């Protein structure tokens, strides 16, 4: 192919390949989602259709990238875990992050009406993204544990805060002052003793976030012979991923990379 005299400008591009043999985690976060949720009238502390829409977008991303083995989402964020041996886009960070962020944002707009049939999308959302490398399975699990622990901390606070405002008649400032310095047990006590709410019975989706994984399952063959065949299916789970139970039930996620 003939080259123009302007071809030299490509030399200014920075090489941004991610290190090999490391788990790649791409986390996307909503930009200005406090304003976005207020503008679109989301319920506090949780708008289930909005969370379900985020899950739908995550599934769209996972269907596009076979190398993503797991994703975890809560609130306005989602983390996508790539196999450590992935060669997608030659492991170029900018290509991976921008493709996931743009696909997620466009999916959010595309699927909006499925979850909010009576609401118009007033303005499109935006998501920033970053890629982080984790060298071992332990590091990866600790990262996911951090995100799920963050989900619990934030959801517990928001549940108590908005209960004080919506049911207790407090102003936002008064609710903030009431919760200053409180620990987890204190917040649970406020919910139960003053409002009869057992936090542990709140939706697992709100308390734990959503984990999406791929599994091979047997389905009936289409040739009428009565046999079965394996197909990869996507599963959405609202469960604990900090303990060992989830990982013991799904060893295929990391089994091949135990030494990684």
């Amino acid at each position: 192919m003939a080259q123009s005299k302007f071809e030299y400008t490509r030399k200014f591009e920075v090489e941004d390949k991610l290190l090999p043999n490391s788990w790649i985690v791409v986390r996307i976060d909503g930009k200005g989602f406090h304003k976005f949720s207020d503008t679109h009238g989301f319920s506090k502390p949780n708008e289930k259709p909005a969370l379900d829409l985020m899950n739908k977008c995550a599934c769209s991303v996972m269907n596009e990238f076979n190398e993503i083995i797991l994703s975890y989402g809560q609130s306005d964020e989602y983390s996508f875990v790539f196999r450590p041996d992935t060669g997608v886009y030659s492991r170029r960070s900018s290509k991976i992050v921008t493709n996931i962020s743009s696909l997620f944002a466009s999916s959010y707009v595309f699927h909006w009406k499925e979850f909010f049939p009576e609401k118009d999308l007033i303005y499109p959302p935006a998501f920033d993204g970053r890629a982080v490398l984790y060298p071992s399975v332990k590091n990866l699990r600790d990262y996911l544990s951090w995100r799920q622990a963050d989900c619990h901390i934030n959801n517990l606070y928001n549940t108590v805060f908005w209960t004080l405002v919506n049911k207790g008649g407090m102003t936002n400032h008064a609710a903030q002052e009431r919760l200053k310095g409180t620990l987890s047990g204190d917040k649970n006590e406020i919910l139960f003793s003053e409002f009869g709410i057992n936090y542990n019975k709140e939706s697992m989706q709100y308390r734990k976030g959503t984990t999406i994984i791929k599994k091979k399952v047997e389905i009936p063959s289409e040739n009428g012979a009565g046999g079965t065949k394996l197909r990869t299916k996507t599963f959405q789970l609202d469960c604990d991923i900090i303990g060992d139970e989830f990982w013991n039930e799904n060893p295929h996620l990391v089994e091949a990379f135990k030494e990684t």
Side-chain angles (χ1 to χ4, degrees), residues 64-181:
E64 183 68 22
F65 293 91
N66 293 328
E67 298 90 343
I68 296 176
I69 63 162
L70 175 150
S71 62
Y72 173 77
Q74 50 120 340
S75 186
D76 64 340
E77 72 169 58
Y78 242 100
S79 297
F80 297 94
V81 179
F82 283 84
R83 299 164 50 103
D85 60 353
T86 182
V88 62
Y89 297 126
S90 300
R91 297 180 73 92
R92 290 173 58 189
S93 178
S94 57
K95 291 277 285 187
I96 297 171
V97 172
T98 53
N99 269 277
I100 287 182
S101 299
S102 61
L103 177 57
F104 197 97
S106 61
S107 296
Y108 198 99
V109 175
F110 186 80
H111 294 293
W112 172 267
K113 280 295 183 180
E114 295 176 33
F115 298 89
F116 296 101
E118 306 300 323
K119 283 186 181 181
D120 289 330
L121 185 63
I122 298 172
Y123 66 90
F127 295 87
D128 66 61
R130 74 215 69 183
V132 184
L133 296 179
Y134 293 98
S136 70
V137 171
K138 181 184 184 303
N139 295 149
L140 174 66
R141 284 189 57 177
D142 285 348
Y143 166 79
L144 293 169
S145 297
W146 168 48
R147 299 321 306 143
Q148 187 163 72
D150 186 72
C151 174
H152 163 69
I153 292 169
N154 290 337
N155 188 68
L156 177 58
Y157 180 92
N158 289 333
T159 299
V160 183
F161 177 88
W162 287 108
T163 300
L164 290 171
V165 172
N166 295 332
K167 295 185 177 181
M170 284 188 171
T171 64
N172 287 12
H173 178 72
Q176 279 183 324
E177 290 299 312
R178 174 74 189 279
L179 293 176
K180 268 187 180 177

Side-chain angles (χ1 to χ4, degrees), residues 1-241:
M1 178 183 288
Q3 295 184 346
S4 74
K5 65 179 181 179
F6 308 112
E7 191 78 14
Y8 78 94
T9 57
R10 292 188 61 183
K11 296 178 182 178
F12 288 87
E13 294 183 13
V14 177
E15 182 72 26
D16 62 349
K17 281 190 177 182
L18 297 169
L19 290 173
N21 301 322
S22 297
W23 297 91
I24 300 174
V25 176
V26 175
R27 185 169 80 247
I28 60 100
D29 287 282
K31 176 181 179 293
F33 254 61
H34 285 296
K35 176 187 173 185
F36 184 88
S37 61
D38 288 342
T39 300
H40 291 88
F42 286 0
S43 300
K44 308 289 187 179
N46 292 291
E47 174 76 18
K48 180 170 171 51
L51 295 174
D52 292 342
L53 174 54
M54 291 284 290
N55 295 339
K56 178 75 172 184
C57 298
C59 287
S60 296
V61 172
M62 290 188 73
N63 289 336
E64 183 68 22
F65 293 91
N66 293 328
E67 298 90 343
I68 296 176
I69 63 162
L70 175 150
S71 62
Y72 173 77
Q74 50 120 340
S75 186
D76 64 340
E77 72 169 58
Y78 242 100
S79 297
F80 297 94
V81 179
F82 283 84
R83 299 164 50 103
D85 60 353
T86 182
V88 62
Y89 297 126
S90 300
R91 297 180 73 92
R92 290 173 58 189
S93 178
S94 57
K95 291 277 285 187
I96 297 171
V97 172
T98 53
N99 269 277
I100 287 182
S101 299
S102 61
L103 177 57
F104 197 97
S106 61
S107 296
Y108 198 99
V109 175
F110 186 80
H111 294 293
W112 172 267
K113 280 295 183 180
E114 295 176 33
F115 298 89
F116 296 101
E118 306 300 323
K119 283 186 181 181
D120 289 330
L121 185 63
I122 298 172
Y123 66 90
F127 295 87
D128 66 61
R130 74 215 69 183
V132 184
L133 296 179
Y134 293 98
S136 70
V137 171
K138 181 184 184 303
N139 295 149
L140 174 66
R141 284 189 57 177
D142 285 348
Y143 166 79
L144 293 169
S145 297
W146 168 48
R147 299 321 306 143
Q148 187 163 72
D150 186 72
C151 174
H152 163 69
I153 292 169
N154 290 337
N155 188 68
L156 177 58
Y157 180 92
N158 289 333
T159 299
V160 183
F161 177 88
W162 287 108
T163 300
L164 290 171
V165 172
N166 295 332
K167 295 185 177 181
M170 284 188 171
T171 64
N172 287 12
H173 178 72
Q176 279 183 324
E177 290 299 312
R178 174 74 189 279
L179 293 176
K180 268 187 180 177
T182 57
L183 301 177
S184 177
D186 302 321
K187 295 181 179 71
N188 276 286
E189 182 62 25
I190 291 172
L191 286 174
F192 189 73
S193 63
E194 298 183 25
F195 302 98
I197 297 173
N198 184 341
Y199 181 74
N200 289 327
K201 292 186 177 179
E202 292 292 293
S203 168
M204 288 278 281
Q205 183 181 19
Y206 303 155
R207 293 187 291 120
K208 299 292 186 181
T210 299
T211 303
I212 306 176
I213 62 173
K214 295 174 181 175
K215 272 187 176 182
K216 289 188 180 297
V217 296
E218 286 189 351
I219 63 171
S221 296
E222 299 171 354
N223 57 17
T228 61
K229 57 184 178 181
L230 288 177
R231 284 289 182 268
T232 299
K233 294 191 70 174
T234 301
F235 295 87
Q236 294 185 32
L237 309 171
D238 302 322
C239 64
D240 178 78
I241 57 174

